[in-house]
Amino acid sequence: MNSQDLQSNATLKDVAAAAGVSLATVDRVINGRPGVSDKTTRKVNDAIERLNFHPLAAAAELARSRPCRFAVLLPRGDNRFMADIADNIRAQAAWFRARRIAVEIIETNVFDADTLAAELAALTGRFEGAAVVALDHPRIRAAIDDLVESGMAVVTLVSDVPSSRRAHYVGIDNIAAGRTAGSLIGRFLGGRSGRVGVVTGSAALRDHAERLFGFGQVIAEEHPGLSLLPPVEGRDDPQQNRALVARLLADAPDLVALYNTGEGAAGIGAALADAGAARRILCVGHELTPDSRRLLLDGTFAALVVQDPGHEARSMARVLRALVSGRPILPAQEQIRVEVILRDNLP
Amino acid sequence: MNSQDLQSNATLKDVAAAAGVSLATVDRVINGRPGVSDKTTRKVNDAIERLNFHPLAAAAELARSRPCRFAVLLPRGDNRFMADIADNIRAQAAWFRARRIAVEIIETNVFDADTLAAELAALTGRFEGAAVVALDHPRIRAAIDDLVESGMAVVTLVSDVPSSRRAHYVGIDNIAAGRTAGSLIGRFLGGRSGRVGVVTGSAALRDHAERLFGFGQVIAEEHPGLSLLPPVEGRDDPQQNRALVARLLADAPDLVALYNTGEGAAGIGAALADAGAARRILCVGHELTPDSRRLLLDGTFAALVVQDPGHEARSMARVLRALVSGRPILPAQEQIRVEVILRDNLP
DNA sequence: CTGTTAGCGCGTTCAA
DNA sequence: TTGAACGCGCTAACAG
């Protein structure tokens, strides 16, 4: 099963010699540039095959080597998960610099379509690529399409705009994430019945909406003993979440579980602690932050459904780079997984 | 928060000019080579700082560009997970070739210490790096140490030999994996009590042993209503597992759950189906294979605790490459996570 | 349609 | 202790 006994290390020059043509011609064939006769093309391809030629990545990069600029649009505010993404992008600074990639992180009000659309429009011409955490809104879709039209490589990050012409989505399947949360709650409850409270950030964000959808699906299909209370919106803000959960606890005595589709876990933990209901109400939320980690460790949360911000930052970088240099991406490596974190497999 | 406004793109030549020295001298300073006076070193470092110089990765690679050879020692046999690792390594063939890395996959009897030790010894001088799925055994430890002594970069894969001098372990924390499985079973059972059967591959493999340990810990500490039956060893073989589980079902009427520390899920599924106990006994196992996927989808298994063979293959490649070229590795990117797969977040 | 040639930025002899 | 010069393998501009 020896993989590569036939490691060849032939160079472009070898191919040129073998085919009886010049370097430039071989280059044209390899990179699919026009202006080569069929006969010559065949000769070259033949030589490539025979010598088992494969271009050396470093040499090609060096020779191409155009500096390039990426913009990353992140929501402004104290969202911890977004801060993690930003940190992970910054942690790659050395990687970027070593490849002459300049990345600019732009924080903006992602919730306001006009602001975001304007911010997107302002990118034109200044960057070769952009990643954006975007609201799924017609105006945003149009702004993304305009950028793509202008030749920019655009990817969505964390929350997708599937109807746009973005080249790629770097993030998880949020319906699956919601379903996973639903299954965890359903199964951890072990057949008990009762009401389940749902705290969400904002129904305007596609990722939250999709999670809610997936969650509802599973509860309805597979756990008929459970019924969902109407979702309450806390904007991912701990203070608001605290108040909302306090009310939930007061209003619904048969509350058995809580699902938080977004952030602000600290508020939920506080409300539960206030009511002395901390490990009695089963809680599942999303994303790993210092707060959610603490609440997972102390048992307030039973599980967290997460995505890896480090993976997302790296994937974004690789994908944008591949896109601007016209190379293929490896789908397997770029698929961001829906992960389940219990106290025991906390990274 | 603009990240890199000060993208400099200074080259070695610029630094040399700014410092008033030659290219070679700058190179000596940067790569810590001897033979530079303190004063010159200071001048150069000063210029580097001032110009915000960062070497271009592609150029450095091209100039170094020595072909190199890696060996990967995998267990022979029909272990599906190992086959996945091998497939993922082969899937990276293009990546390897573009970097003049030849990788040879060697299948051998990992369970026999003498065979494995001999196979390891035979690597000497033929490879710059090696990854090995190793038995944790004194002879193997010695063989690994000899390779390291001879200057080879050695990493363990999937199952570690922590007492050896291997430079790195590419794999998960198996105690955490076992604990995770234990928590899932305990919580999914929702307080029910009874006996839990354990099917393991071989107690000689460190990864299986560690999982068993972590699993036992959690059950004992957190689920006192549950008691573990003595583990039965099926060598990851479906046929053996089937017979073992059939006996377990017959002997222990109060069996409420099954934990499989390794492979051969199909055998467990078959035995349960035979006994008509398929979704009554809660099952948790490891690794995602066509069999385990099917059993997860049909509800026979409630959850799978897995590691990503694709990530492991890529991590192995990056780590070995970094080691042989004396570069640092990014720990965050190389940490393999213990993942939980339910039916809903199946990749 | 094809070939020549000059770099890309860094490593690495060698000689001084 | 330092520097000059060549080469790594590929791309791209220009010439024919």
Side-chain angles (χ1 to χ4, degrees), chain A residues 9 98 100 183 337-338 344-345, chain B residues 9 57 100 183 308 344-345:
Chain A
N9 298 359
R100 297 290 178 268
S183 279
R337 293 166 80 151
V338 175
D344 308 285
N345 64 334
Chain B
N9 297 1
R100 297 291 177 267
S183 280
D308 181 349
D344 308 285
N345 65 334

Side-chain angles (χ1 to χ4, degrees), chain B residues 21-344:
Chain B
V21 298
S22 74
L23 287 177
T25 300
V26 180
D27 181 70
R28 290 186 185 102
V29 173
I30 287 177
N31 295 305
R33 274 186 277 273
V36 186
S37 74
D38 277 14
K39 204 182 69 188
T40 311
T41 305
R42 252 195 313 282
K43 275 198 305 189
V44 171
N45 281 327
D46 210 60
I48 289 178
E49 189 87 12
R50 215 166 49 243
L51 299 185
N52 188 235
F53 167 75
H54 291 274
L56 187 65
E61 268 173 43
L62 174 58
R64 269 192 271 256
S65 164
R66 277 172 296 251
C68 101
R69 303 174 307 270
F70 293 163
V72 183
L73 261 73
L74 259 32
R76 195 198 319 281
D78 43 66
N79 184 308
R80 182 61 208 210
F81 174 72
M82 290 304 166
D84 270 359
I85 296 233
D87 286 348
N88 275 288
I89 292 174
R90 290 197 198 92
Q92 288 202 78
W95 189 90
F96 286 121
R97 270 194 312 248
R99 285 161 187 76
R100 297 291 177 267
I101 297 174
V103 5
E104 184 168 332
I105 297 178
I106 301 172
E107 299 187 338
T108 185
N109 184 354
V110 159
F111 290 88
D112 182 61
D114 289 337
T115 307
L116 180 53
E119 201 78 69
L120 283 168
L123 262 37
T124 320
R126 295 178 49 223
F127 298 94
E128 282 73 43
V132 52
V133 178
L135 204 64
D136 190 12
H137 182 286
R139 215 182 325 276
I140 304 306
R141 186 186 61 62
I144 290 178
D145 289 356
D146 286 347
L147 285 180
V148 173
E149 191 65 42
S150 82
M152 193 181 302
V154 180
V155 304
T156 47
L157 191 60
V158 178
S159 193
D160 195 14
V161 187
S163 62
S164 73
R165 293 173 52 203
R166 91 282 186 278
H168 186 88
Y169 163 54
V170 178
I172 57 171
D173 175 346
N174 282 295
I175 295 185
R179 292 188 59 98
T180 304
S183 280
L184 287 169
I185 285 189
R187 304 209 63 152
F188 280 5
L189 248 20
R192 249 190 302 158
S193 56
R195 317 190 80 120
V196 179
V198 178
V199 180
T200 188
S202 157
L205 280 177
R206 182 169 251 272
D207 55 351
H208 286 214
E210 287 183 341
R211 286 174 190 174
L212 216 50
F213 177 74
F215 184 79
Q217 266 189 344
V218 166
I219 298 295
E221 289 167 9
E222 294 172 22
H223 303 282
L226 299 175
S227 66
L228 258 49
L229 291 170
V232 294
E233 282 192 28
R235 291 240 152 211
D236 284 352
D237 175 52
Q239 298 310 319
Q240 292 193 46
N241 281 356
R242 183 174 192 163
L244 291 169
V245 172
R247 185 147 359 123
L248 234 43
L249 289 169
D251 292 355
D254 57 345
L255 193 76
V256 291
L258 271 176
Y259 173 45
N260 184 21
T261 71
E263 285 217 36
I268 295 177
L272 288 168
D274 291 345
R279 303 168 56 148
R280 190 169 53 72
I281 307 281
L282 178 72
C283 292
V284 170
H286 287 273
E287 311 318 352
L288 194 57
T289 65
D291 283 332
S292 66
R293 170 185 289 269
R294 177 175 51 77
L295 293 166
L296 187 63
L297 282 170
D298 77 13
T300 303
F301 273 75
L304 257 20
V305 177
V306 314
Q307 51 194 316
D308 181 349
H311 190 185
E312 291 177 323
R314 290 186 293 270
S315 180
M316 177 216 77
R318 282 190 301 256
V319 168
L320 280 182
R321 208 163 91 92
L323 288 172
V324 302
S325 58
R327 291 172 317 170
I329 66 180
L330 298 81
Q333 185 171 7
E334 310 311 347
Q335 196 195 329
I336 315 293
R337 292 167 81 151
V338 175
E339 296 179 40
V340 174
I341 307 286
L342 308 181
R343 205 204 295 205
D344 308 285

